[in-house]
Each structure stands twice: as structure tokens, then as C-alpha cells.
Amino acid sequence: MTCHKRYKIQKKVREHHRKLRKEAKKRGRKKPRKDPGVPNSAPFKEALLREAELRKQQLEELKQQQKLDRQNERNKKRKLETDPDVKLSNTEPVTEELGQRKAKKAKTSKQNPKRLYCQELKKVIEASDVVLEVLDARDPLGCRCPQVEEAIIRGGQKKLVLVLNKSDLVPKENLENWLSYLNKELPTVVFKASTQQKDKRKRIKVKKKAALSKSEVCVGKQGLWKLLEGFQKTSGKAIHVGVIGFPNVGKSSVINSLKQEQICSVGVSMGLTRCMQLVPLDKQITIIDSPCFIVSPLNSAPALALRSPASIEVVRPLEAASAILSQADAQQVVLKFTVPVFTNSLEFFTSFAQRRGLHQKGGSPNVEGAAKVLWSEWTGAFLGYYCHPPASWTPPPHFNESIVTDMKWGFDLEELEKNNAHSIQAIKSPHLASSILFQSSGLTNGVIDEKDIPEELPKQKKQEQESYEDVKTDQGIVDEEGDDESLAMSPAEEACETLSEKSRADKQSAPSFVLDKMTEEEDDVYDFSTDYV
């Protein structure tokens, strides 16, 4: 800044302050009154002053004592954390009611959440007259659980209906093939849930009605509503409709689309719904939201990676994403993600990380971050892929002809077929060339009995990770045993080590001006061969 400019600014500031003082003078600024204290003419002045001083000292001593008490309490808590045998001395007595509440809360928190999911799922099945099993249209066979379907059949006079959600992510030809295949067993509804529902707690004024986007349009709602209304009139009583399915298939989104309000919580993370929730559609139909199925650890590695509600942080992201990638068509994956041709999963994640700009400190590609991105996109609601239905239809072991006819009784199948055809026409499906072909691993086994789930705390992530690794090795995802060093190192570490070795070798062969350039900007990555040329 030049001196002329600085002096000019200072002058303007002085003028501004002068103006403010003038205005304050006109307004008549009132100064705060000072405490006059005890007047000299007051009787017992000295006694009053001594009493005020004493009171001031007492307040200071009280503050110091409170500070010491807080410090002692903190020290005791620290000792209790390090040594669990040590107990707090000055604990207040708790009433019986609070004690019972705390004991109940501790019991539920210590209980494995998977067991609670199984208990809630059983309650939903028992309370339902019609059960809607929500399937992901990209892999409908992988979203079916034979154990849950068998439990519904054993439940007595309960109807099972399949809902093909996310139908806008698969080509129309593939959707029609799956619809004809699934209709041979159970009534199937083509559905596309709306992901943007209005929240009933928020009132937003909209002046002009804008055109609805692709995510806001719900398709198949009328067909499903008419199917449930027809069954309710046939049964002649009010019905309860349970909505079940694996995580991230869109159970809560289906309920929100039918209600046209955001009543059930939805999100990208798996397993958001943790207990049953009653949602009345009208006076005769009540829908029950339920937690997700619990996946059996005996499933294949791709099924565990896609259907498990465990977070990607618990399992190894590279192994989970590699298992998914092994079932996909490599050529279509290259075209979809615009990466070069790869021979193994590590090459793909390295190029994918460079393509998405995922780098670690030092410029090396973040392979684990790329694996997490692929895993989240594959289990999300935007990536389009599809599976071919089986060539010939064979009924599952828990189904027979009589059960199939019983499940279809009470529904207007002709009207359902017309509504499905109308829904397929209304859906804007992707082209076959722009979708990825995925090889389905078949029906996914689940755990419905809480006795089959071991007693363990949810915070024990190491045990879950070890069990996940054991399953992966049984299914053949982990490579065969080789050198101890290669087994001990993860693929991300190997990639980082190879990149660092390459950079070291390039440093030795690089001229001096390139090394000076690199010392100036250590965080950037240089191609030494091009600099040398």
C-alpha cells in the first residue's frame, strides 16, 4: 500500500469517528453511574464495610472449593477408567424407578442389535396380513431371503407380494423379463419410489409449480394401492401390511411414496430403521415399517458386501469392493467409469482413484478411498446395473403349486398386469449399452432366529472383522498362500510402496533442476521423464 493511500484511509477514519462523536453529543450520551459507596454520615459504616469484605472473601473461598471438588471428581473418573475396581466415593443414592430404567437401558444396550432386529422382524411378520418384500430391481434374486419367506408361509393366512423397487435403474427389456419370471411364483409390482418427499413438519410456500424432476416422480403407486385395496375389500376387514427386505432396497422410501410424506427416516447408510413403525394409509390399511434382514455369514463374498448392514469401516473396503467387481463385466465397467483396461482389482482402484482425484499425502493414489466410493455407489440408488434372470423357472424348496395358488388368491391379477405395463412405459429406463452386467449370486440366506446370533457387543469391531475375513477366505476371495511378506501387506500398502520406490528411483536419475523444483513443492507429483525431456 502506498503512503498516499494509507494516509487517505486514516483521514477518512478520523472523519468518521468525529462524525460519530458529534451525533452522540447531540443525542446526549448518558454515562453509567458509579456506585457512590457507603456515605460518611451513615452510622456503623466500618461494620458494613467489614461485612461486605467478609462476604466477598466467602464467595471467593466457595468458588475455590467448587473448583477443587470438580478437579477431584475428574481425577476419580480417570482412575475409574484405568482401574475398574475403584468406585466413586461420593455417589448420590438413586431412586428405585431410576435404577430400574437404567438397568433396562443397560440391558438393551448390551444386547446385540442384530438380535433386536430379528425380534422386531418377527413382530412385523406376526402382525401383518399382507407382507411386501421389497426387492432391488438390479438384483431381484439376490434380494430374496428363503428363510424369511418360509417363516411367512408357516405363519398361516398371510399373503406375500414382491415389490420391484428402483426399476428406473435397469433396462426395460431386463425389467420385463424379471417381471414374467417372478409372476410365476408371487404377485409382483413394478415400483419406483420417490426420493424427495415433503416433510410434514416443514411448510414451504411455493409460488410457481415447477416441473418434477426424475427423483421426485413416483411410479407404480397406483398399482400397489389398488392391489391392497382390492385385497382389503375381499377380506372384508382392516388389514396390516408389513414391509420387509434387505438393507438399502428402499423399504422406507416405498412407505413415504405411498403416504406422500416423509414419515420414515431414509438415507444412504444401511440399517437406518431399527424398530417397527406403524403408518396408517387410511382407515382400513395400515403399513408397518421393519428393520432389515440379517445376512448369514455363510453367504458368498459379493452377497455379504452388498447385503450386509455393517458399515464399510468395519469390513475391509478393498476386499468388499473387489468381491463386487469380480461379478461385474470388466469391459462395461471400463466404459462406465472411463478408466483404462485393468487386469486385477488393484489396477482398477489405482486408476479409479486417479480419475476421481483421490490422493493421499505425497500424491500417491488413495486405493482404499476409491474402494469405498465404488462400494457406496454400487449399494446406492444411482448406479445402473442389471442381472439376467435364470433361463428356466424352478420353484424354490419352500414353495409348491398349492402355496403359489394360495398366495395369489384375493388379488386382481389382471388389473395388476395392466398397471405394471403402464408403469414400465412411464419409467425412463437407461439403455442396455450404458448399464453394467452383473452376475447374481442367487438367493441370499438370512438369519431370522435370534438364537443363531452369538452374544457379542456391537462395539467389538475386531471380532466382526475377523469373522468377515474368515468368510472371505472360505469363499475364495483372498488369494492363495504365498510369501509371508505379500500376505502381511494390504494391497493399498503394496501400491503405495511401489509408487514410493518408483519416485525414489526417479529422484536418483533426475537432474538437479528437477530436484530443486521438487523441494520447492513437496506435495505435488512430478513425472520425471517428461521434465527431463
Side-chain angles (χ1 to χ4, degrees), residues 56-71:
K56 191 176 180 181
Q57 286 179 2
Q58 285 176 354
L59 284 172
E60 286 179 359
E61 286 175 3
L62 184 64
K63 282 182 182 178
Q64 289 290 334
Q65 188 63 35
Q66 287 175 350
K67 190 176 179 181
L68 287 171
D69 290 342
R70 284 196 298 270
Q71 196 171 357

Side-chain angles (χ1 to χ4, degrees), residues 136 139 142-143 246-247 249 293 295 302-309 385 444:
D136 193 335
D139 185 12
C143 294
F246 279 105
V249 293
F293 299 157
V295 185
L304 287 170
L306 288 169
R307 310 290 168 222
S308 178
Y385 66 90
T444 306

Side-chain angles (χ1 to χ4, degrees), residues 144-173:
R144 292 184 66 179
C145 182
Q147 287 78 16
V148 175
E149 290 181 3
E150 194 174 351
I152 293 166
I153 292 165
R154 286 200 308 266
Q157 301 295 325
K158 296 184 188 297
K159 303 295 178 184
L160 181 61
V161 178
L162 303 179
V163 179
L164 275 176
N165 194 23
K166 302 181 185 179
S167 302
D168 58 324
L169 300 176
V170 294
K172 283 188 179 180
E173 303 86 357

